[in-house]
Amino acid sequence: MSVAAFVMSAGMLGSSVMLYSRLPGMITRYAEGITGDVAGKVTEMIPEQIEQVMPELPTETGLPIKFP
């Protein structure tokens, strides 16, 4: 029974050390994936939104406005 407890404790310790050492890399990969997806969606959406909001430019101009 003590051998089983030792094996379980050693396994938990080993998995904890492995998780702790790999966690920063896992977080970085996850963040890069999310950032890439969001950047792609925003890049697709922004030109459409800008075109909807921007008024049409005038084709001709008039005389300047005089100051009082």
Side-chain angles (χ1 to χ4, degrees):
M1 189 112 123
S2 64
V3 172
F6 176 74
V7 170
M8 287 176 30
S9 296
M12 288 177 56
L13 178 65
S15 62
S16 297
V17 168
M18 188 171 66
L19 178 66
Y20 182 75
S21 66
R22 293 185 181 206
L23 191 62
M26 291 172 21
I27 291 172
T28 303
R29 278 181 282 172
Y30 181 73
E32 288 174 356
I34 295 295
T35 304
D37 292 343
V38 169
K41 295 290 182 183
V42 168
T43 304
E44 292 174 7
M45 291 172 51
I46 285 180
E48 296 172 6
Q49 297 295 327
I50 290 175
E51 289 176 7
Q52 291 176 359
V53 174
M54 290 293 292
E56 292 185 27
L57 295 175
T59 56
E60 56 187 57
T61 60
L63 298 173
I65 299 173
K66 294 182 181 181
F67 288 110

